[in-house]
Amino acid sequence: MYISRKKPAYPITHALRQYLRDYDRDAPLPVSYAELLRYSNSFPLRDRAGKDTLWQTVFYEPSVLVELNQGLVQVYALLKTAGDLSFANDLLADRIDYCHFGNSHPFRVRILNQLNDNYDYFYVKQADASRLYGLELEHLLSPNSMNYLVGSGNTLIEEHIVGIPGDDFIRLRLNLPHLNQVRIAKEFVKFNERCFARLLGDMRAYNYVIGVTPDFEDEQYRVRAIDFDQQSYEGRRAMYVPQFFKDNGPVVELCARLLKPSTIHQYQAEERTLMARRARAERYRLKALLDVMRGQELAPPDKVNELKAALNRHHRTQKFDSCDSMGDVVRLNLWLMLGPQMLATVMS
């Protein structure tokens, strides 16, 4: 399946910036994305098995590193504790990695607590309006809270999302004897439904993670998106349905083998109901987000028209003909999938 590799970065408009301020996503950052590009050397980062991770660990001149360490610890404090620096002397930015792969070219910062050697991560990326809309829709409509900040210019800070990368999970764990395959299948059906309802694209296996939580009798699983660059950009409907990506094939086969059609429809209805309840609870914020989104160009006109035609066929309607932007398309798709009663306020 073809994905637009050269998706352009869409700017943060004045209206989007105001939305970010209104909901505490905007913050004065002591370190910018551009400053992290000042590294002097790098080498490939390999995993425990010696496999190339596609990340490069980067190095800086000593004077630059001292300045960056102080700023990155402050960024971590802004992200985690609203800027409380009382513990800053215990923290150190002990490793910075850079990835050339993908649209956002992220830096990953490892923050080490020097008292106990525990560490955490956050990401520094180039802010793109598409990604910000994707993060907000995930925060409002999924079971997952998203923690991120946007600085002046084009710097985006994202909290690390914990989980096993989907491609690793499929390759190494999917057929383990203790795995509850029915629960994995159920969660993938629900994830598939969430992505399509809010038109989040490119959910190939390495763009989501699997969270595993031990329960009193078994394990629970949750599939979480970690890449939001392809929020409502592509024109083909299949791009927004994870089951159509080849590397998700083993999980799709699991769903087909273990779940009856009636059970799949039940899980889809459950997820739509939960999304509708979240939309109802966050109706004012969701309406504000969609109003801003509707006023910004987020895809070329030919992609918008292609997706409108595809969704008209899927929903057996002509309502998408009246949509002028991708924001309009997202809003109408949510309304058709989650129900007019639940989203009446959002559509007003």
Side-chain angles (χ1 to χ4, degrees), residues 315-332:
H315 290 292
R316 298 180 181 180
T317 183
Q318 296 301 316
K319 292 181 178 179
F320 287 94
D321 289 344
S322 63
C323 294
D324 296 322
S325 67
M326 275 297 191
D328 286 336
V329 173
V330 172
R331 186 180 75 147
L332 181 55

Side-chain angles (χ1 to χ4, degrees), residues 93-148:
D94 81 323
R95 198 181 81 204
I96 302 173
D97 304 321
Y98 177 63
C99 184
H100 293 270
F101 185 74
N103 288 311
S104 60
H105 293 169
F107 286 92
R108 181 175 60 201
V109 181
R110 186 167 76 175
I111 296 290
L112 177 71
N113 187 314
Q114 300 176 87
L115 298 179
N116 56 18
D117 290 335
N118 193 28
Y119 55 86
D120 194 7
Y121 298 95
F122 67 87
Y123 297 83
V124 183
K125 303 179 180 181
Q126 299 179 83
D128 168 33
S130 298
R131 187 174 187 88
L132 296 179
Y133 290 123
L135 285 164
E136 277 296 297
L137 287 169
E138 181 77 1
H139 183 75
L140 297 175
L141 297 176
S142 84
N144 311 307
S145 295
M146 305 304 295
N147 188 14
Y148 72 91

Side-chain angles (χ1 to χ4, degrees), residues 190-208:
K190 301 182 88 165
F191 175 66
N192 202 69
E193 197 72 3
R194 285 199 302 275
C195 290
F196 180 56
R198 41 74 63 92
L199 296 179
L200 175 62
D202 194 17
M203 282 300 106
R204 287 172 284 184
Y206 54 77
N207 284 334
Y208 60 82

